[in-house]
Amino acid sequence: MTGSSVEQVYIDVAFVRIQRYLARTSRLRGRRSASAGMAEATDSAVIAARLPQGLAAANGEAGQADGIVSLKLVDPRPEGRQQRVRKVISAVLAELREEFPAAELQAVWGVGESYVSAYAHEIGPRTRRGDVEHVWYDLPSLPEFPAARLCPLCGMDPATEKARLPEAPEVPELVCADCAHRLRRGARAAARVGESRKKSAEQRLQELLEVDEAPDALENLAPLGAGDLKRNHLATVYIDGNAVGLFFKRLLAAAATKPALHDTKRELSRRLSELTEWSLLCATSQVLETMGPERSARLPVVPHVVGGDDVLVSVPASYAWAFVVEYLKTFDAEMRDSLVGPVNLDHGLDLPVPSASAGLVFARHGQPMYLLVDLAEERLRAAKRRTGGAASSVAFLDLTTEGPQGVDDSPLPLSVLGQDATLDALDRLHRLPRSLRTRLAQAMRDHDDTVSAEGLARRSGEFRAIEPFLPGRDGRPPRSGITLRHALRLVTWWRPLGPKARSRL
């Protein structure tokens, strides 16, 4: 911190456990309404303009993240600071609570010469510690009559309010307060088509890719999958950045001796959110390219959460790998070549390059969304453990064939999965008749080694298709870096990727 620096006061008010909140309802329309409503309701500039006495302004140093209101006190002086902070937090929480009755909310504040500094030294540590003096929690009210009839849309809270369902608007239905707000918000959005307002991530994708809006129900999204695979399955994809906090911590330490980095750290915080959106756009574009002649006129990816370095989407099962490989490759390449690389080069630094990891769950479209989100989060944590958060990796689960416990295959590093040779080998394995792949998988399960599977492949004249996944001599790993059992699981929902997804590592 320099002697001439003025300490600013930053306040973040955020939704907690966004993924679980959005997954309360089984209806895609309800989740879309909540997601779009959250994006609009957390527009920091709009919130700041409604605060009493001009207490705070939007924090322009923070990147765009749906579900987070980031503000900066207009008057940062220590005198009366806590009272001003309390007024701002109380007003924002009250406004969000009115619109999102079942959401968990949290507010935290900190002081620093920049937002990056305040977050690294105060906001982040206080949030992790649960510092009661600086962190506020606002939880949903407990139901007054627990034995009351449950809401038919979410099944989680008592049905206490009447609202009109889009498919049967003539007779109001009794639903819970949160679902009622989602329905009303959806109706208001439909009535305001064409008005200028903050767009959701889904709407931004739709406009940039020039496609029609995504289906309004998951059972209608699943059929957009490839014709040679089951069209009743979806993939829930949860992606999160690796070592992002460590990067900003190291950048902050470097800025202490290199004042020129102060503007850089503010810029990088904003650009991280832009990179997340750019990676989402490229991954969705790759899905459309992979569809080929089956390309849909509708958006085939439904983003539920896009904020900071977090992404949660639903995509037809047969195009999930196209989405994930392209997203991780784009994020890694742009982070290395456009964000961190130039900073290291210009300032003589050796800052770590953040990456991203993904958790995937394949399941029938009728599975409860809250279950899929929890399982995807478990897979994401497993993927991060695989590389210690130092590099991109992917872990997946097929709920239909493996159950919620899955199998013990190790998550796949992107350095293995993303190689052109590996992608070519997976393409060849995918082209085998499904009946042969099923018999190969059964041979692996029955004998717990590759000998029987190898013999079956030779008799079928398809040894070359499995050879990259067989162990080398003296027990060395397979040439592809993926075991045959793992590869057979993976290609269940595989589609050959277009050239855009290759040669990026």
Side-chain angles (χ1 to χ4, degrees):
M1 183 178 296
T2 63
S4 60
S5 298
V6 176
E7 286 191 324
Q8 300 294 328
V9 182
Y10 299 91
I11 303 169
D12 282 352
V13 183
F15 286 76
V16 182
R17 286 179 276 277
I18 293 177
Q19 295 81 1
R20 289 190 179 92
Y21 171 67
L22 293 177
R24 279 172 56 91
T25 176
S26 60
R27 296 181 170 215
L28 180 55
R29 189 192 300 269
R31 288 196 294 278
R32 180 181 286 139
S33 172
S35 180
M38 188 183 300
E40 187 173 356
T42 53
D43 187 320
S44 299
V46 174
I47 290 282
R50 289 202 288 259
L51 288 173
Q53 304 168 5
L55 282 171
N59 174 18
E61 300 172 43
Q64 178 176 301
D66 295 347
I68 300 177
V69 179
S70 193
L71 303 170
K72 182 166 67 173
L73 283 189
V74 172
D75 180 1
R77 292 176 301 171
E79 297 81 9
R81 174 188 290 166
Q82 290 202 6
Q83 289 80 2
R84 293 193 295 278
V85 168
R86 188 176 296 271
K87 284 183 180 179
V88 171
I89 291 177
S90 296
V92 176
L93 287 176
E95 183 169 331
L96 294 179
R97 175 60 61 209
E98 175 67 25
E99 277 295 308
F100 304 90
E104 296 181 43
L105 304 171
Q106 173 184 281
V108 58
W109 65 281
V111 176
E113 63 177 9
S114 69
Y115 180 63
V116 172
S117 175
Y119 193 92
H121 293 305
E122 297 199 348
I123 293 176
R126 286 169 176 175
T127 302
R128 291 189 291 272
R129 290 195 308 265
D131 186 336
V132 294
E133 185 178 350
H134 299 93
V135 181
W136 292 32
Y137 300 98
D138 191 290
L139 302 178
S141 301
L142 293 174
E144 296 182 11
F145 304 102
R149 172 194 170 194
L150 289 177
C151 172
L153 300 186
C154 69
M156 299 183 73
D157 285 338
T160 57
E161 297 188 21
K162 287 186 176 182
R164 298 183 184 276
L165 306 185
E167 65 271 24
E170 301 82 10
V171 181
E173 178 77 29
L174 204 58
V175 299
C176 73
D178 196 84
C179 287
H181 274 270
R182 294 186 188 213
L183 289 168
R184 294 181 192 124
R185 197 180 300 117
R188 290 198 302 268
R192 290 177 358 212
V193 171
E195 287 188 18
S196 176
R197 62 184 190 278
K198 185 177 180 181
K199 293 180 173 63
S200 67
E202 181 178 342
Q203 291 167 330
R204 295 191 292 271
L205 277 180
Q206 180 188 335
E207 291 184 359
L208 290 170
L209 294 171
E210 298 182 335
V211 292
D212 296 336
E213 65 179 11
D216 60 1
L218 291 180
E219 56 265 31
N220 297 327
L221 178 66
L224 298 184
D228 60 337
L229 297 174
K230 295 177 183 177
R231 290 181 180 240
N232 62 349
H233 277 61
L234 291 169
T236 303
V237 183
Y238 193 173
I239 299 176
D240 184 39
N242 300 320
V244 174
L246 175 63
F247 165 74
F248 279 110
K249 183 177 181 180
R250 297 270 182 87
L251 178 64
L252 188 63
T257 57
K258 295 178 179 287
L261 284 173
H262 286 289
D263 290 338
T264 299
K265 65 187 180 184
R266 295 188 183 97
E267 176 69 9
L268 288 179
S269 178
R270 181 185 60 79
R271 290 182 64 190
L272 174 62
S273 295
E274 294 177 351
L275 173 55
T276 299
E277 291 239 2
W278 174 248
S279 301
L280 174 64
L281 175 65
C282 291
T284 306
S285 176
Q286 176 63 52
V287 169
L288 290 168
E289 180 180 326
T290 302
M291 284 179 159
E294 297 177 335
R295 173 171 174 154
S296 168
R298 310 191 75 168
L299 183 66
V301 174
V302 176
H304 306 296
V305 175
V306 181
D309 55 349
D310 286 11
V311 169
L312 177 69
V313 304
S314 292
V315 59
S318 50
Y319 299 115
W321 287 113
F323 178 90
V324 168
V325 171
E326 179 64 19
Y327 185 102
L328 297 183
K329 282 190 170 188
T330 300
F331 191 93
D332 280 15
E334 292 296 318
M335 186 66 76
R336 179 184 64 240
D337 299 336
S338 299
L339 270 70
V340 181
V343 173
N344 281 337
L345 185 64
D346 292 346
H347 298 277
L349 301 174
D350 188 24
L351 298 173
V353 180
S355 57
S357 290
L360 290 79
V361 175
F362 298 95
R364 291 186 178 90
H365 63 69
Q367 291 288 345
M369 187 66 180
Y370 69 85
L371 172 64
L372 302 180
V373 171
D374 285 348
L375 291 174
E377 188 173 10
E378 288 178 8
R379 295 295 89 201
L380 174 60
R381 288 197 296 267
K384 286 175 171 284
R385 287 195 300 268
R386 173 66 174 81
T387 61
S392 293
S393 58
V394 184
F396 70 98
L397 166 72
D398 190 327
L399 185 62
T400 302
T401 61
E402 300 167 358
Q405 300 304 317
V407 298
D408 59 359
D409 285 336
S410 177
L412 295 169
L414 182 64
S415 58
V416 171
L417 178 61
Q419 295 291 345
D420 285 355
T422 303
L423 297 175
D424 289 339
L426 290 168
D427 288 350
R428 286 195 299 271
L429 189 63
H430 167 264
R431 285 195 293 268
L432 291 181
R434 186 179 305 171
S435 59
L436 178 56
R437 285 191 275 119
T438 300
R439 289 161 60 203
L440 288 168
Q442 185 64 48
M444 294 291 296
R445 285 193 296 270
D446 290 346
H447 302 280
D448 198 28
D449 61 37
T450 61
V451 176
S452 297
E454 182 178 343
L456 176 59
R458 288 186 184 278
R459 291 192 300 274
S460 303
E462 298 289 0
F463 176 74
R464 289 187 60 193
I466 72 165
E467 190 273 333
F469 308 104
L470 297 176
R473 294 179 180 178
D474 304 322
R476 284 177 296 177
R479 178 160 49 89
S480 66
I482 305 175
T483 66
L484 180 58
R485 184 179 78 160
H486 207 162
L488 287 168
R489 291 179 56 229
L490 194 156
V491 297
T492 299
W493 296 108
W494 186 260
R495 293 290 290 176
L497 277 60
K500 187 161 72 80
R502 297 170 182 265
S503 303
R504 283 283 207 89
L505 293 181

